[in-house]
Amino acid sequence: MKILMVCLGNICRSPLAEGIMKQKIREASLSWMVDSAGTGYWHVGELPDRRSVVTAGQHGIDITDQRARQFQVADFDRFDQIFVMDTQNRRDVLRLAQTEAHRAKVMLMLDELYPGEDRSVPDPYYDDNGFEEVFTMLDEACEAFVNRVA
């Protein structure tokens, strides 16, 4: 299984989701691969936001090996599952989909907890206090996915 986590800039939500999913995979002794990307290009090559790094670290997860990159059309062929953090990310990614098989890979992360409700993981970039809440949401959604699929 190859999983891609996608948010806007690939510095806040998707790096957290990547780190959390990698931890869940290790704990479950699975040989899955996880990566993350952003729909935007502004932060390409940068480390995750320091607040994401700190929040992940407080939960025993090191995400400092990650570097932001932009989502590419080729990602549809590289990954089995593409989790997007919000409805705008979903629209942006689906706009690039070239086949129905590509479209079928794209899912809102919180659909793992609230199927069909179109719930978004809020972007904590402008709210220093939002990172822990986002971590909790992503942790629960990743856990649900691993339990459902593994």
Side-chain angles (χ1 to χ4, degrees):
M1 170 79 64
K2 294 178 183 171
I3 304 163
L4 182 65
M5 305 296 192
V6 180
C7 69
L8 181 61
N10 192 211
I11 60 167
C12 293
R13 295 170 290 175
S14 57
L16 278 174
E18 177 185 344
I20 293 165
M21 187 65 83
K22 283 179 175 176
Q23 181 185 51
K24 302 287 182 194
I25 289 166
R26 275 191 305 276
E27 291 170 354
S29 299
L30 299 168
S31 59
W32 297 354
M33 190 273 276
V34 185
D35 194 9
S36 62
T39 56
Y41 61 87
W42 314 279
H43 301 288
V44 168
E46 294 179 17
L47 283 165
D49 186 286
R50 65 170 177 72
R51 297 164 295 177
S52 286
V53 172
V54 168
T55 301
Q58 290 170 339
H59 294 274
I61 300 172
D62 181 4
I63 61 172
T64 58
D65 62 334
Q66 298 181 31
R67 296 296 178 274
R69 71 175 188 86
Q70 189 172 16
F71 182 85
Q72 304 168 348
V73 172
D75 288 330
F76 286 112
D77 294 322
R78 280 189 280 235
F79 294 93
D80 305 305
Q81 180 70 58
I82 300 171
F83 282 115
V84 293
M85 299 299 127
D86 62 42
T87 55
Q88 182 62 52
N89 301 147
R90 181 175 61 189
R91 278 191 294 275
D92 292 342
V93 169
L94 288 175
R95 192 173 324 117
L96 299 172
Q98 298 174 340
T99 67
E100 193 53 44
H102 288 172
R103 294 178 64 79
K105 294 179 180 189
V106 180
M107 180 177 169
L108 281 168
M109 185 80 245
L110 291 184
D111 275 357
E112 285 298 328
L113 300 173
Y114 310 101
E117 293 185 23
D118 279 352
R119 290 196 190 188
S120 294
V121 176
D123 189 344
Y125 187 78
Y126 296 105
D127 177 13
D128 290 347
N129 299 316
F131 284 82
E132 186 60 36
E133 176 187 8
V134 165
F135 183 93
T136 299
M137 290 176 176
L138 294 172
D139 187 60
E140 291 172 1
C142 289
E143 182 77 19
F145 177 74
V146 170
N147 288 339
R148 179 175 65 83
V149 177

